[in-house]
Amino acid sequence: MFDHKYDVIVVGGGHSGSEAALAASNLGSKTLLITTNIYNIAQMSCNPAMGGIAKGQIIKEIDALGGYSGIITDKSMIQFRMLNKSKGPAMWSPRAQCDRLKFSKEWRLILKKNYNLNLYQDTVIDLIIKNNKVIGVKTILGITIKSKSVILTNGTFLNGIIHIGKKQKSGGRIYENSVKGLTEKLKQFGLISGRMKTGTSPRLDGKSLDYSKMIEQLGDSPIEPFSFLSKKKIMRIKQKKCYLTYTNLETHKLLRDKFNLSPIFNGHIKCVGPRYCPSIEEKIYRFYNKDNHQIFVEPEGWNTQEVYINGFSTSMPEEVQYKALITIPGFENAKMVRPGYAIEYDYFYPTQLKINLESKKIENLFFAGQINGTTGYEEAAAQGLIAGINANLKINEKDPFILKRNEAYIGVLIDDLIYKGTEEPYRMFTSRAEYRILLRQDNADERLTPIGEKLGLVNYERIKKLELKNKHLKKCFSFFKRKTIKFELANKFLKKSFLRKENIKLGYLKENIKLGYFLSRPEISIEEIKKLSLVKNFLKKNKINKKILYLISIRIKYKGYFKKEEENVKKMSKLENLKIPINFNYKKIKSLSIEAKEKLINYKPNSIGEALKISGVSPSDISILILFLRK
């Protein structure tokens, strides 16, 4: 049945596994994706949404590199919102509510179409390792399959235990069996594992809710697609509504009185859950002085009445969940479809990986997704893409593909995992990226599509789209740099602006000004500028859409910030380029701290830039190391 050898075997068909399998196969590797249930591929186990703060940027980056999460999100979208619009453009983050079933179906269809990719429904329970090199896998059905490399994307399935009150059940997801044997096999080769916990919310029958007692949450219009390939007409959907309601003191008292039944508080769950997505019982415990918490009611798709209760993740007993839910406005007659639950599972410390996501101890074995201690579909998909690319490069004896912190949020994510590690589920935030002004969602294609083209993942259509965008941006820059606005007309705009700001009459012009300089003033918005007849005529003549105009506005207004950030990147690059010799003897530098020596010997950084990222290596240690290297 499997008498031939694959180039890449991907274990697990979640968001990470799906991206990994397509990346490897699209680069020419004969790939096999093994998953326990083919009809659960890329399932949205928790919230049926993609994107969000920093996560939206990641999906855009995956798309720009030639991944598929953005394309699938656009095809299954039922509502779109751009978050953080009240803040600067570096913080703007797209988020889409999706049709859960359609999302999984679209992924399954696109995987099945790939010529180099085979799907197989089975469960991998063992690895074949020879001379510390992986050469294949064994399944629960006793089948041995040989491969040049293996990517583990097991999600929450390794020794997973589901908790609902006092009830415990082995499982990787509700009604799906956990995977036993793999953790123990990896431990035999010296890999260190830990335990993490995550959870999900109950699902309710939408017909049983009273939406008149809730606040409508409408989607943004127009919709901005996640994929740079998606055409506008695809995004002209009639969006579904979400709703907002709140818990209250009655809800809190009911849950607080039953804390002893929660596995989080009674000791049944001993591991750490996601800090930034706590269960409802943890919220009530931590924020004891809060009278209410937000609860979002989010539809699960076009053809279902089932709704997801965002903000009410819980592992309380079913009856307690239900009693608490019906105290919430609009939920008085709610009918529960499925209870919420917590799940604890094994993960492996990501510091045991190389920067290309390959194991340091077992050659050609790659790890991606929640097995590395992350949380979120987006973080998992990003790692899968990078692991798929690097598995292909490794077996073809090519240099690894590494994104730097100044190139992508994906670079920040992997950099943090490898050099800092994590002992709680890692979630991406804009605050984690020190160069976030440069890593905006609107320029992911400009940053990464040329890189994707060099890798061989980006098609001709993407390149043509990017070339047209760059051409229009260049034309617009030139137009705003050359064209002048008369000071009399400019002062009319300023007068309106000052009247809005309590009649502060400052900064009126006495001479004509270039349009670009005028737009750079904080009081002037692109909404006002685009009303000018010369701007309208320019856009029409050159067939330039309004989105390009908004991009120009961002770049003109924040030009100084971008320049400063680029200078910071150059300074850091100089340090990153200062190489550390292989097998460098740190012990002979007596002035290094003991902790720094231990960490540097363990991590074996290739450069000063890498050494800087290691937790426990101080700036003074770095200064000493630089002096020693320069000698």
Side-chain angles (χ1 to χ4, degrees):
M1 183 177 175
F2 291 102
D3 53 354
H4 62 281
K5 189 175 185 179
Y6 283 92
D7 295 318
V8 179
I9 290 177
V10 179
V11 180
H15 301 265
S16 185
S18 298
E19 286 286 4
L22 276 178
S25 57
N26 283 335
L27 289 172
S29 290
K30 187 65 180 173
T31 306
L32 177 67
L33 172 60
I34 305 177
T35 184
T36 304
N37 188 337
I38 286 173
Y39 290 94
N40 284 343
I41 277 176
Q43 189 178 58
M44 294 175 139
S45 309
C46 195
N47 186 13
M50 292 293 279
I53 296 169
K55 293 167 177 279
Q57 282 88 329
I58 288 175
I59 297 298
K60 288 273 195 175
E61 290 177 351
I62 291 169
D63 182 74
L65 283 166
Y68 288 82
S69 291
I71 292 169
I72 304 296
T73 299
D74 289 345
K75 285 184 176 182
S76 57
M77 188 185 297
I78 61 176
Q79 193 197 72
F80 172 83
R81 297 185 78 186
M82 184 68 78
L83 307 182
N84 279 342
K85 279 300 289 273
S86 61
K87 299 179 181 178
M91 308 293 282
W92 296 359
S93 303
R95 181 183 185 273
Q97 199 71 23
C98 295
D99 184 312
R100 181 193 297 278
L101 293 178
K102 187 170 174 58
F103 187 92
S104 183
K105 181 184 176 183
E106 291 291 345
W107 258 116
R108 189 168 65 253
L109 290 174
I110 211 162
L111 287 164
K112 283 185 173 181
K113 286 178 183 176
N114 192 288
Y115 180 77
N116 277 330
L117 175 61
N118 297 138
L119 302 181
Y120 181 58
Q121 185 166 296
D122 203 343
T123 301
V124 171
I125 58 168
D126 199 1
L127 299 173
I128 307 167
I129 298 168
K130 190 175 181 180
N131 298 324
N132 291 322
K133 186 175 183 177
V134 69
I135 58 170
V137 301
K138 290 181 181 177
T139 75
I140 201 167
L141 296 178
I143 297 169
T144 296
I145 311 169
K146 296 291 184 70
S147 176
K148 294 177 184 177
S149 65
V150 174
I151 304 173
L152 296 180
T153 68
N154 298 83
T156 60
F157 280 77
L158 296 181
N159 293 322
I161 297 175
I162 291 168
H163 296 265
I164 305 176
K166 292 181 179 180
K167 297 173 187 174
Q168 291 184 11
K169 179 186 178 297
S170 175
R173 264 192 303 249
I174 197 79
Y175 312 124
E176 292 184 61
N177 294 327
S178 61
V179 175
K180 301 184 187 300
L182 267 182
T183 297
E184 292 69 27
K185 177 75 171 188
L186 293 167
K187 281 182 174 181
Q188 289 174 16
F189 284 83
L191 275 76
I192 302 168
S193 70
R195 295 284 279 177
M196 280 187 178
K197 167 246 165 189
T198 188
T200 188
S201 300
R203 272 61 163 186
L204 303 182
D205 183 346
K207 300 192 303 293
S208 66
L209 304 182
D210 184 353
Y211 295 106
S212 67
K213 295 182 179 179
M214 307 180 204
I215 303 163
E216 278 187 352
Q217 300 278 292
L218 302 175
D220 291 352
S221 185
I223 292 170
E224 293 187 30
F226 275 80
S227 176
F228 294 98
L229 281 181
S230 293
K231 294 176 175 61
K232 276 190 174 180
K233 63 181 181 181
I234 294 175
M235 308 316 298
R236 289 172 189 160
I237 60 167
K238 184 181 178 182
Q239 300 183 60
K240 295 208 81 171
K241 294 176 183 178
C242 295
Y243 293 86
L244 170 66
T245 184
Y246 293 87
T247 62
N248 50 58
L249 292 175
E250 186 184 355
T251 318
H252 298 185
K253 184 181 185 307
L254 194 150
L255 289 169
R256 194 179 286 112
D257 289 346
K258 301 293 182 180
F259 275 175
N260 63 307
L261 300 178
S262 168
I264 295 168
F265 294 116
N266 63 22
H268 287 176
I269 295 176
K270 295 180 174 66
C271 51
V272 181
R275 180 192 300 263
Y276 302 103
C277 189
S279 66
I280 187 65
E281 52 264 40
E282 287 174 296
K283 285 182 194 175
I284 292 166
Y285 177 77
R286 283 189 211 168
F287 309 106
Y288 58 89
N289 56 344
K290 279 203 75 170
D291 293 343
N292 58 51
H293 293 283
Q294 289 183 327
I295 300 293
F296 293 94
V297 179
E298 299 173 336
E300 298 235 318
W302 291 113
N303 301 310
T304 178
Q305 290 296 325
E306 197 170 308
V307 294
Y308 177 85
I309 309 305
N310 193 343
F312 204 91
S313 173
T314 182
S315 56
M316 285 287 200
E318 300 98 308
E319 64 274 13
V320 177
Q321 293 184 33
Y322 179 72
K323 286 177 182 177
L325 282 166
I326 60 174
T327 66
I328 297 170
F331 289 14
E332 293 85 354
N333 299 305
K335 291 181 180 177
M336 188 186 288
V337 178
R338 280 177 289 158
Y341 62 89
I343 179 168
E344 56 177 326
Y345 54 93
D346 293 339
Y347 81 103
F348 285 85
Y349 292 104
T351 51
Q352 301 172 103
L353 303 177
K354 299 174 186 176
I355 194 69
N356 66 342
L357 297 180
E358 182 187 14
S359 169
K360 290 177 182 176
K361 292 185 180 288
I362 304 170
E363 191 178 354
N364 291 355
L365 178 64
F366 294 79
F367 290 69
Q370 282 181 281
I371 195 172
N372 288 338
T374 60
T375 181
Y377 311 138
E378 303 81 3
E379 290 89 341
Q383 293 171 72
L385 176 69
I386 301 303
I389 293 168
N390 278 315
N392 171 272
L393 293 172
K394 179 68 193 292
I395 62 175
N396 287 293
E397 299 181 349
K398 294 181 180 179
D399 291 337
F401 173 59
I402 298 161
L403 285 170
K404 297 177 182 177
R405 296 182 75 90
N406 63 288
E407 291 179 316
Y409 272 91
I410 297 173
V412 175
L413 165 67
I414 294 173
D415 200 82
D416 279 354
L417 292 174
I418 302 305
Y419 293 107
K420 296 178 182 176
T422 185
E423 293 186 357
E424 63 180 52
Y426 178 102
R427 177 180 176 176
M428 180 53 72
F429 288 102
T430 50
S431 58
R432 294 191 190 270
E434 59 269 45
Y435 305 116
R436 58 185 169 273
I437 294 175
L438 302 178
L439 308 181
R440 303 182 311 281
Q441 54 86 28
D442 64 78
N443 70 355
D445 55 341
E446 297 164 64
R447 290 185 278 118
L448 300 175
T449 295
I451 296 172
E453 183 187 19
K454 287 179 184 176
L455 286 168
L457 280 177
V458 166
N459 61 23
Y460 179 74
E461 186 184 354
R462 281 188 185 277
I463 296 301
K464 292 305 291 181
K465 272 207 160 191
L466 179 59
E467 286 175 351
L468 181 63
K469 178 184 177 182
N470 287 334
K471 180 184 174 182
H472 283 170
L473 285 170
K474 191 175 179 180
K475 272 189 178 181
C476 269
F477 267 122
S478 177
F479 173 77
F480 276 88
K481 189 176 180 181
R482 288 183 294 104
K483 288 295 177 181
T484 300
I485 182 171
K486 291 184 178 180
F487 73 91
E488 296 95 341
L489 179 57
N491 285 335
K492 286 182 181 179
F493 281 110
L494 291 172
K495 186 177 181 181
K496 288 179 186 176
S497 178
F498 294 148
L499 285 170
R500 288 197 298 269
K501 296 183 179 180
E502 298 179 1
N503 210 23
I504 304 172
K505 294 184 179 180
L506 297 170
Y508 284 121
L509 301 172
K510 294 180 180 178
E511 56 185 26
N512 298 343
I513 186 173
K514 295 293 182 185
L515 204 54
Y517 284 119
F518 187 57
L519 179 57
S520 69
R521 293 181 65 136
E523 318 93 278
I524 303 303
S525 74
I526 194 66
E527 290 289 345
E528 291 167 316
I529 291 291
K530 75 179 184 183
K531 294 173 186 175
L532 290 170
S533 57
L534 78 160
V535 175
K536 282 182 182 177
N537 293 336
F538 167 76
L539 295 177
K540 187 176 180 181
K541 182 182 176 182
N542 293 280
K543 296 179 181 178
I544 295 174
N545 61 43
K546 291 175 183 177
K547 189 173 180 181
I548 293 291
L549 198 61
Y550 280 97
L551 295 179
I552 288 294
S553 172
I554 289 168
R555 291 163 205 214
I556 287 174
K557 285 185 176 294
Y558 293 89
K559 185 180 177 182
Y561 294 98
F562 298 156
K563 189 177 179 182
K564 188 176 179 181
E565 202 81 310
E566 285 161 3
E567 287 170 359
N568 290 336
V569 170
K570 286 177 184 176
K571 288 177 185 176
M572 182 55 69
S573 295
K574 287 179 182 178
L575 287 176
E576 287 177 350
N577 293 331
L578 186 56
K579 297 294 181 184
I580 299 173
I582 297 169
N583 298 322
F584 183 80
N585 187 2
Y586 295 100
K587 290 180 180 178
K588 66 184 179 183
I589 309 177
K590 293 179 181 179
S591 46
L592 277 178
S593 68
I594 294 170
E595 184 182 6
K597 283 180 187 177
E598 289 176 356
K599 294 285 178 73
L600 290 165
I601 289 166
N602 182 43
Y603 282 93
K604 294 182 175 62
N606 295 312
S607 67
I608 289 293
E610 287 186 11
L612 267 168
K613 300 165 188 172
I614 300 170
S615 177
V617 179
S618 70
S620 60
D621 291 319
I622 293 294
S623 299
I624 292 163
L625 188 54
I626 289 170
L627 285 170
F628 201 89
L629 287 169
R630 283 177 175 167
K631 285 180 183 179

